[in-house]
Amino acid sequence: MASSDGFEAFYAATVGRLLGQLLPVTGDLHEAEEVVQEAFARASVRWTRLRDYDVPEAWVRRVALNLAADRGRHLRRQARALLRLGPPQQVPAASAEAVALLEALRTLPMRQRQAIVLHHLVDLPIEEVAHTLGTRPGAVKSLLARGRRALANRLSDAEEVLNSP
Amino acid sequence: MIDLRDHLQELAEAAAREGRTAGPMAAIRRGRQRRRRLAVGSAALLAAVLVAGAVGTSHLGPAGRDLAPVSPPPTRPGFPAKLATYTPNGSAEAAVLRMLTDRSEGLGACKGGRPKDVRIIAVGRLPRQGLLQGVWMIAARPPLPGEQRLCWMFAFGNQRDLGAPVAYAGQPPLLASLRAMASGDPSKLIVEGYITKQAARVRFILAGGKPPLDLEPLQSGSEFPVNFFVAMVPWPGSKEQLPVERLIALDGSGRAITSCWLGDRDPSCGRERWR
C-alpha cells in the first residue's frame, strides 16, 4: 500500500497553501482543487521517496503547475486526469481588486501566470522559478515583465502593478 | 489600488479558506487507482460506442474504417431512478454507485440540491474494447427552487477500477446552457455534460472534416433544469488532435441554440451562462 506514514500530516499542512498558489494559475477554485488533489494523489504513491526530500511540497507544487498547464492544452492519457473544459467560474470571496486581478491573470498565457505566482506569491528567486519551470532565468525575467505589463494594461492602476517588487 | 503581491496573497488566503478537497485518504485511493490504470497498458479501441441514444449517426473511425456505432439503450427502463429504490445490476454497477454516493468524493461532498435526494439519471455499459471496463453512470441531485447550481456526477468503472471525471467537492459552478467535459484514455475520448432542455439534440463537430454526430440527450425528468449526455469517441492516439472540436445544441427544428468549443483553442463549454 502507499505508505500513509506522515502523508496525512503533510497533506493537512500544505493543501491550503497549495490551493492558494494554484488558484491564480488556474483562475478557478474548482480547477485548483482538482489539480492539487491529483498532484497529491501522485505524491501518495511516491511518498516513501518524497518524504525524504528537503521540500516535498515543491514537488507537489510543480506537479500541480504542470497539470494546470497540461489541462489547458491537451487531454491527458489517463481517464482520471480530467479536463474541465470551460471558463473559470468559481472564485472565492475576496476584495474587488483581488477578483479583478484574478480575472486579469486568466487572460495571461499559462507560463506568465506560473512565473508571476512563483515569484510574487511563493517568493521564489528568479533562478528557482527558472528551475521549477524548466527554463532559463532570462526567460523568467521576460515572462515576468510581459506578464506584469499585460496585467497593467488590464487593470486600472497600471503603475502599481508595473512597480510591484 | 492594485498591489500585485498583496492581492495574490489575498486570493491565496481566500482559496485556502474556501477550497475543498477530498482529503488525504481520497488522494491515496486516487493514486492507487491511477497506478493500477497505468499498469493496464494501452489497448486499441476497436469500436466506437455512442451512447445517449445515438440518432442520425455517421460512421466514425480512424483511417477511414467504418465503426458502426453501438447504440445500446443507455439505461434500463425506469430512469431517472430514485436512489432509495434503485437496485444496481451487478457488482460493477454497485461499485460505481458506491463511488457516486461516497460522502467524501461523491455527490455527498457536493454542496447544493436536496442533500439526501439523489437521482440516477442513466447507466450504461462501457465498450468491451479499451482500457476501461464496466459501466458508466450519471447521477445528480435535484436543485432547490431557484438554485442556479447543479450537483451532478459522472463516474465509470468496475469493482477494481473506478474513475470520476465529473465530481464536485463543495459548490459546483453556476449553471450553463451547455456544459461539457472530457477525459480520455489511450483509446477513446469520453465527453459528458448537460444541456438546456430546449435542445433536442447535441451535435458533435468532429475533427478532420468527419461528418458530424448527433446525440439525443438523456432525459432527466421534471426535477432538473437540464438534460444530460455522454459520448465515447475513438481516439487511437491521445496525443493527436482532439476528435471532437465543437458541440452545438439544436432545437427540435434543427436550429442552433448555443454552441461551444471543446478543443485546445479557447475551450468554452460552460462559458455561456444559464438562460
Side-chain angles (χ1 to χ4, degrees), chain B residues 107-196:
Chain B
L107 281 170
C110 185
K111 290 182 179 171
R114 300 201 292 264
K116 294 184 178 176
D117 210 0
V118 172
R119 298 286 180 275
I120 311 299
I121 302 294
V123 181
R125 183 156 287 282
L126 291 167
R128 291 185 184 279
Q129 300 86 357
L131 264 181
L132 296 159
Q133 304 286 315
V135 300
W136 58 265
M137 192 179 291
I138 293 178
R141 274 201 213 132
L144 299 169
E147 195 172 23
Q148 291 296 301
R149 298 174 193 271
L150 180 63
C151 280
W152 69 289
M153 190 164 170
F154 174 75
F156 50 64
N158 53 57
Q159 54 272 45
R160 294 178 305 278
D161 204 7
L162 294 163
V166 180
Y168 297 106
Q171 200 176 46
L174 287 168
L175 275 171
S177 301
L178 171 58
R179 181 174 293 280
M181 302 176 192
S183 54
D185 69 13
S187 61
K188 62 183 168 296
L189 182 76
I190 305 175
V191 183
E192 66 280 346
Y194 64 68
I195 191 167
T196 171

Side-chain angles (χ1 to χ4, degrees), chain A residues 8 48 65 70 89 116 138 140:
Chain A
E8 290 177 56
T48 51
L65 286 170
D70 286 345
Q89 291 191 346
I116 284 172
V140 171

Side-chain angles (χ1 to χ4, degrees), chain B residues 22-36:
Chain B
M25 296 315 293
I28 290 171
R29 283 197 300 275
R30 183 167 171 170
R32 287 184 197 144
Q33 288 167 358
R34 181 174 181 277
R35 188 166 52 180
R36 279 200 296 271

